[in-house]
Amino acid sequence: KEERKLKLNSAFKAFTDTPYEKASTNTIVKDAGISKGKLFYYFKDKATLYSFLIDYGINHIKKAYIDKLSLEEKDFLKRFQIYSDLKKQVYNEEPHLFAFMSYIFLNGSKNVSLDQLKLIKYYQSLTIEYVKKDIDVSLFRDDIDPDTIMRLIEYTLYGYQNELMQKFKDVAFKEEDME
């Protein structure tokens, strides 16, 4: 399991640090400590490996993060904190995978299939819905409509997300970025 993780991490890292077109299978096999023949035994070409990594990343994030999202906490801020902590935990367990998927999300790629892009966007929207769903609005101020508050929070989060997206676009992620 550790050996597999090492090999996957070398591929995630290669495709995160370098755009797909410039990423080298030579770098991947060198960092993974395997022969090029062995790499191509499992993956017929670089595109197949890349597609596998995206599918693997989507499935891992779904199992490790999205499937664990709960609506139990009704306080918006506490729920948001729980989700943030869970996301950070997933990142800490698989930083190269998370950085790779973040790179895909931020930069897209002509090498990402339409189905993969749809799934990434679906899980992103599902996460946003989970943050907002079944919130106890009695905790909000009485003099402001709860829907207005939720829209303001949503706009703020989208604005912050867009700011981060611009900051990290075409840049490799580092551990301190997640913090």
Side-chain angles (χ1 to χ4, degrees), residues 12-128:
F12 285 131
K13 189 174 179 329
F15 287 118
T16 304
D17 293 346
T18 311
Y20 173 84
E21 295 77 17
K22 294 181 181 179
S24 166
T25 54
N26 291 331
T27 302
I28 295 168
V29 297
K30 180 181 173 202
D31 291 348
I34 61 172
S35 70
K36 205 166 194 175
K38 189 169 188 175
L39 176 70
F40 290 119
Y41 174 78
Y42 291 106
F43 305 101
K44 75 176 188 181
D45 55 23
K46 183 168 83 168
T48 306
L49 170 61
Y50 194 73
S51 183
F52 168 82
L53 293 173
I54 294 168
D55 289 339
Y56 182 89
I58 290 169
N59 290 326
H60 180 79
I61 290 173
K62 180 187 181 302
K63 286 181 204 166
Y65 177 67
I66 294 170
D67 288 350
K68 293 181 180 179
L69 298 178
S70 165
L71 299 175
E72 191 173 313
E73 177 58 62
K74 301 297 182 194
D75 180 295
F76 172 79
L77 292 176
K78 288 179 183 176
R79 183 184 292 176
F80 192 79
Q81 183 64 52
I82 290 167
Y83 289 5
S84 296
D85 290 344
L86 179 58
K87 187 183 278 188
K88 188 165 192 275
Q89 177 187 338
V90 172
Y91 170 83
N92 286 336
E93 292 168 2
E94 298 284 350
H96 297 294
L97 178 150
F98 205 92
F100 172 75
M101 294 305 294
S102 296
Y103 183 86
I104 296 296
F105 173 73
L106 291 174
N107 298 293
S109 174
K110 62 183 177 204
N111 303 91
V112 180
S113 76
L114 188 57
D115 288 341
Q116 290 169 327
L117 284 174
K118 283 180 183 177
L119 205 49
I120 290 168
K121 289 185 187 301
Y122 168 73
Y123 287 139
Q124 180 197 21
S125 67
L126 185 66
T127 303
I128 292 167

Side-chain angles (χ1 to χ4, degrees), residues 165-177:
M165 287 174 71
Q166 290 305 311
K167 178 179 177 184
F168 292 119
K169 202 165 180 71
D170 298 321
V171 174
F173 284 80
K174 296 176 179 50
E175 287 183 39
E176 64 271 12
D177 294 339

